Amino acid sequence: MKIKKRAIYTSIILLFFFMLSFSSNVIAFEYQNGIKTNDELIWNCLLCDDNKMDALFGEFWNEAGIFENLSVNKRMKWSVNMVEENSTTLSALISIWMWRFEDNWGTPDNSSKFSYLKNPSLYPNSFNFTVLLPFIPFWLPVPVGEYLGEVPLGDIYDVDNRVLPTLNVQIIKDSIHPNEPTETVYIIAIYNSNGILSSFKLYTHGNIVVVDISLESFPIFVIPSTIVLILTFVCSIVLYVKKKRIH
Amino acid sequence: MRLKVLFVRAFNKLKEFWNERIFRYAILVQLFYFFLSILLFFLFLYQKNDFVIFYESGRIFLTDIENLYNQANYLWDFRYFPLSALFFIPFSFLDFGLAFILFNVINFILNILISLMMYKIIKAIRGQDHETSDKRIILYISLYLMGVPHILNYIYGQINLFITFLILASLLIFLFYKKIKWQLLGSIILGISIIIKPTSFLLIPFLLIIRFDMSTKKLKIDFSTSVLRLVGVLIPVLLNFALFAVYPKLWSDFLSTNFTGNNPLALNFSFSLTKLVTNFCYFFNIPFNQLIVLIVLVGLVGGLGFLSYIVRRRDTNSILYGYTIGMVIMLLTYFDSWDHHLLNLTPLLIITIFNLPRRAKLIEYIKPSFFFFNFFDIIFVGVWFLTYPLFPYNFVSTFFLFVLLYSLTRYFLVKRIKTDEVKH
């Protein structure tokens, strides 16, 4: 019995030291491309208050950059032509069909190469993803939360990777130019596990949403999971009530 | 000397518990949670857990107190009262990894102490028709120790067990000691728990000894004891305001972080009613003010709970039911009610189950809720991740909180507690 007890105590102490040894040996993340060649990504603009955007950013806000021609119910498509990875960077060559109503995409409007440093801490201090709207990237290396957490982002950004990888942006009134924006605006950008922007909301004080963009397709499990959840809950309640009535 | 006697008695009691197989399993499960959390911490979550924030807050409190609410210093927002950082100062002197292990060792010890306190309270207030042997009490204590919310509590390095310990300590004092000095001490202990984390904030109204007697239509208030309890609970909380007076920046930063600022409002799996409403508004682009949502729901849910408490038909051990409904209201109305916060509620539910008559119909509501919170709630956190792009509502736990709210208000309001005669 004594031997057994001694063995238990020894095991616990050994385990304790084993864990302590980890403390100076934390595993670093190896960031990767979450997107693959031939991936097609389509975003849908669910809401866009053009007048409010004009008032906030001036009438030319949708004449350049990724928000070019943006308006409600328009869609934008990205097709990934090539992903590359070397010792320092992760990059992707992407064909872009800018915001449009038609389902027939035709030829892409432009091609762009996006690159990220593999070591996010090498970005300069107070780094901004862009000085133009929408101030956030549409894709990032994965794991997104950890990557964003390591980039020394400027004051306008706040990373919240506690539940969903989320990038919060606060653009203070007059911070871009005098009268741009005309009031403080906020952005919440949520990314999926592949590093792709799944939801973008630009809003003003009081949570008044001005622009709402979301990735068009859900992961395949979302709809069946939701149906099963609701059906199971309703059936459980009905069965419970029936059982109670019988008794 | 007295402490030594207490320690020997506690140790002997634990030895008695140890004779029950279920308790041995429970301790093994606890140890598994403990070691799992340490392993996950060092392998994956070294910089991604709540303890990082507590650890930093202790360091900043000592070195740069005016920047205690400067969120640039933290991974996630530090929102608690400034004095809460005092508790973490000793840890901030240690290496971070070692501090995390020590913190979780304390969490483990707290769980043992919580178990002993639950036992002590249950033995004193157990309904007369319950079994006389301790086996069922040990069974429920073991179920508590096996509870799945402990996993996230250990993994995040959370402080819920400190809160539970202090809530039970104050409950124990209120139930066992009636003298004025003890009333003051019990409420001060509750006040300290609010400093550490304001989860027990909505327990304050239930400290009032107030009752509207329905039969005589008279309002009875034990004014002096109620005031004493309020003073006791507010002393620790108000000490924070002394700090705010010395450092005005702390006050403005505290307000901004908690109420007036624009904290991230993005979706999460909180099961509070407030979060379900704000998630709905967020999802459908409905403008909202989260503070107004909070105030309205506290008014409605809290008002209902407090009103039924005042007009209660029975007075014995009312503080226990007050604490339980106060915690239910808090979990229903605070912004973020997560799986590990349930550790503040489940011990109260266990004590309630033993205080009610053995065959009381109300137990049929409380027991399923306890089992759901203790073992199944976490499943729906996982399900939320599967459904959130279409349906971002972790509503099943909210449902069970409403079941508890219903059963407790029924307990307060019905003339006679129904029992299940068939089962006798």
Side-chain angles (χ1 to χ4, degrees):
Chain A
M1 191 65 187
K2 260 187 179 173
I3 293 168
K4 198 178 169 189
K5 266 188 184 172
R6 198 181 296 160
I8 291 171
Y9 293 143
T10 314
S11 312
I12 290 172
I13 291 166
L14 280 175
L15 254 173
F16 187 75
F17 282 115
F18 168 71
M19 283 164 178
L20 271 185
S21 68
F22 274 114
S23 61
S24 58
N25 190 24
V26 178
I27 294 165
F29 282 105
E30 180 77 20
Y31 296 106
Q32 292 170 333
N33 267 320
I35 52 174
K36 298 185 294 292
T37 305
N38 296 328
D39 273 359
E40 288 205 339
L41 312 168
I42 298 172
W43 287 274
N44 203 340
C45 179
L46 304 172
L47 175 74
C48 182
D49 185 340
D50 291 326
N51 294 332
K52 185 67 185 175
M53 284 297 279
D54 287 350
L56 286 168
F57 295 99
E59 56 188 310
F60 304 114
W61 65 271
N62 59 352
E63 292 196 356
I66 208 89
F67 272 5
E68 192 180 326
N69 290 329
L70 179 74
S71 63
V72 68
N73 292 331
K74 281 187 176 177
R75 300 189 304 155
M76 175 178 71
K77 185 169 109 168
W78 283 19
S79 178
V80 182
N81 298 325
M82 190 171 63
V83 287
E84 279 180 344
E85 181 178 348
N86 60 34
S87 58
T88 55
T89 56
L90 296 163
S91 53
L93 189 64
I94 291 167
S95 296
I96 302 177
W97 289 259
M98 294 306 289
W99 300 96
R100 64 187 65 192
F101 290 116
E102 302 87 40
D103 282 337
N104 184 13
W105 292 99
T107 51
D109 295 307
N110 61 58
S111 263
S112 293
K113 188 175 182 181
F114 298 93
S115 294
Y116 290 101
L117 292 177
K118 266 185 129 176
N119 182 354
S121 59
L122 294 179
Y123 282 103
N125 277 340
S126 296
F127 174 76
N128 286 354
F129 284 105
T130 164
V131 290
L132 289 171
L133 272 169
F135 300 100
I136 53 103
F138 272 56
W139 79 273
L140 282 161
V142 290
V144 178
E146 283 70 13
Y147 190 85
L148 283 173
E150 281 196 55
V151 180
L153 290 168
D155 288 344
I156 65 167
Y157 294 101
D158 175 51
V159 180
D160 181 5
N161 60 354
R162 199 172 193 190
V163 178
L164 300 171
T166 306
L167 190 56
N168 300 285
V169 192
Q170 181 180 19
I171 304 153
I172 295 168
K173 180 178 186 264
D174 302 331
S175 62
I176 302 173
H177 299 295
N179 265 333
E180 190 183 348
T182 48
E183 62 181 284
T184 300
V185 297
Y186 309 89
I187 291 166
I188 293 182
I190 302 174
Y191 294 85
N192 67 17
S193 55
N194 292 327
I196 300 157
L197 179 76
S198 63
S199 168
F200 171 95
K201 288 191 193 236
L202 184 149
Y203 60 99
T204 55
H205 183 71
N207 298 301
I208 300 164
V209 179
V210 184
V211 176
D212 181 3
I213 294 167
S214 75
L215 195 63
E216 195 168 73
S217 55
F218 295 134
I220 195 160
F221 51 76
V222 172
I223 293 174
S225 304
T226 307
I227 292 169
V228 168
L229 170 69
I230 294 171
L231 277 181
T232 310
F233 179 75
V234 172
C235 290
S236 307
I237 300 293
V238 170
L239 284 174
Y240 183 79
V241 171
K242 270 190 173 177
K243 195 180 149 198
K244 283 280 141 197
R245 280 195 182 157
I246 291 166
H247 285 287
Chain B
M1 193 63 189
R2 208 185 149 100
L3 207 66
K4 193 182 171 190
V5 172
L6 204 67
F7 180 78
V8 170
R9 276 169 57 190
F11 189 74
N12 288 338
K13 191 50 69 187
L14 284 174
K15 266 164 71 178
E16 271 180 43
F17 288 3
W18 190 255
N19 290 333
E20 294 294 326
R21 184 187 291 174
I22 186 82
F23 187 76
R24 293 199 293 272
Y25 286 147
I27 294 294
L28 274 180
V29 170
Q30 272 284 315
L31 287 173
F32 170 71
Y33 292 163
F34 172 81
F35 286 115
L36 178 74
S37 72
I38 305 281
L39 213 63
L40 289 176
F41 170 77
F42 284 115
L43 288 178
F44 307 110
L45 303 168
Y46 195 79
Q47 290 162 331
K48 198 183 171 186
N49 62 73
D50 294 329
F51 187 70
V52 181
I53 297 154
F54 304 140
Y55 181 84
E56 281 299 313
S57 73
R59 191 184 56 78
I60 295 166
F61 190 93
L62 269 188
T63 55
D64 187 16
I65 190 166
E66 288 213 56
N67 277 314
L68 191 64
Y69 293 100
N70 180 353
Q71 304 307 338
N73 292 325
Y74 302 99
L75 175 67
W76 299 309
D77 289 2
F78 174 73
R79 294 164 181 268
Y80 305 143
F81 281 118
L83 283 181
S84 70
L86 270 179
F87 291 89
F88 302 103
I89 288 176
F91 296 100
S92 67
F93 288 121
L94 300 172
D95 166 72
F96 178 60
L98 192 64
F100 182 85
I101 294 174
L102 180 67
F103 186 74
N104 268 354
V105 168
I106 293 173
N107 267 335
F108 179 80
I109 294 168
L110 278 175
N111 261 331
I112 302 296
L113 295 177
I114 287 166
S115 302
L116 287 168
M117 276 204 288
M118 276 164 66
Y119 176 81
K120 176 103 178 144
I121 295 172
I122 290 170
K123 282 288 276 185
I125 64 167
R126 181 166 53 175
Q128 287 176 348
D129 57 344
H130 282 258
E131 295 86 342
T132 47
S133 91
D134 289 349
K135 279 197 166 191
R136 194 158 168 268
I137 305 178
I138 297 170
L139 168 71
Y140 270 84
I141 287 173
S142 305
L143 290 176
Y144 161 75
L145 290 174
M146 291 177 187
V148 178
H150 287 291
I151 299 178
L152 288 184
N153 193 65
Y154 277 123
I155 287 176
Y156 289 148
Q158 259 290 348
I159 49 176
N160 297 296
L161 295 177
F162 288 76
I163 313 299
T164 307
F165 175 76
L166 293 171
I167 288 174
L168 290 187
S170 82
L171 179 65
L172 193 140
I173 287 170
F174 286 135
L175 288 171
F176 284 67
Y177 306 99
K178 302 296 171 199
K179 280 188 181 167
I180 284 180
K181 62 175 182 183
W182 290 106
Q183 299 295 311
L184 188 67
L185 182 68
S187 45
I188 286 175
I189 289 174
L190 189 69
I192 293 170
S193 81
I194 295 169
I195 290 184
I196 300 177
K197 197 176 184 180
T199 322
S200 44
F201 188 78
L202 290 184
L203 269 56
I204 294 177
F206 299 94
L207 290 175
L208 299 178
I209 304 174
I210 181 171
R211 186 182 168 203
F212 182 78
D213 192 324
M214 297 284 266
S215 52
T216 59
K217 309 277 181 223
K218 275 187 180 168
L219 187 69
K220 293 175 185 172
I221 309 175
D222 182 344
F223 192 74
S224 55
T225 313
S226 297
V227 169
L228 190 78
R229 284 181 174 184
L230 278 187
V231 169
V233 78
L234 290 177
I235 286 172
V237 179
L238 290 177
L239 283 177
N240 287 288
F241 287 84
L243 212 59
F244 288 140
V246 178
Y247 302 103
K249 184 177 178 298
L250 267 189
W251 173 238
S252 59
D253 288 355
F254 174 78
L255 282 182
S256 167
T257 304
N258 281 290
F259 302 110
T260 56
N262 283 276
N263 294 309
L265 303 167
L267 302 171
N268 73 41
F269 47 69
S270 163
F271 51 74
S272 79
L273 186 60
T274 306
K275 195 66 195 174
L276 294 193
V277 171
T278 57
N279 275 0
F280 180 83
C281 294
Y282 175 90
F283 197 67
F284 290 104
N285 294 333
I286 300 166
F288 66 97
N289 179 317
Q290 60 172 353
L291 191 58
I292 290 174
V293 175
L294 174 80
I295 291 168
V296 168
L297 291 179
V298 168
L300 287 174
V301 180
L304 174 74
F306 190 58
L307 206 67
S308 60
Y309 176 76
I310 289 177
V311 298
R312 65 189 179 276
R313 301 270 186 185
R314 46 197 64 77
D315 219 13
T316 323
N317 304 320
S318 58
I319 189 80
L320 165 65
Y321 293 90
Y323 270 24
T324 311
I325 201 167
M327 191 51 74
V328 169
I329 294 166
M330 190 69 186
L331 291 172
L332 269 173
T333 56
Y334 190 59
F335 297 120
D336 284 337
S337 297
W338 289 18
D339 183 66
H340 53 79
H341 294 134
L342 292 168
L343 293 175
N344 297 147
L345 179 66
T346 47
L348 293 171
L349 292 182
I350 291 173
I351 299 169
T352 307
I353 288 170
F354 279 93
N355 183 242
L356 283 167
R358 178 76 168 90
R359 308 282 175 197
K361 283 262 186 195
L362 285 176
I363 290 182
E364 289 178 16
Y365 296 101
I366 297 174
K367 231 159 108 175
S369 304
F370 165 72
F371 278 97
F372 176 81
F373 291 139
N374 209 43
F375 294 110
F376 302 107
D377 172 77
I378 203 164
I379 295 172
F380 292 89
V381 174
V383 169
W384 184 87
F385 279 98
L386 299 178
T387 65
Y388 82 84
L390 188 65
F391 190 76
Y393 315 107
N394 184 9
F395 69 99
V396 184
S397 307
T398 325
F399 169 80
F400 278 100
L401 283 175
F402 271 112
V403 168
L404 283 178
L405 187 73
Y406 168 76
S407 61
L408 290 166
T409 48
R410 248 187 96 79
Y411 170 81
F412 290 138
L413 298 177
V414 293
K415 272 188 179 170
R416 197 176 66 86
I417 295 174
K418 283 185 186 171
T419 51
D420 190 351
E421 306 292 347
V422 185
K423 284 182 185 173
H424 274 297

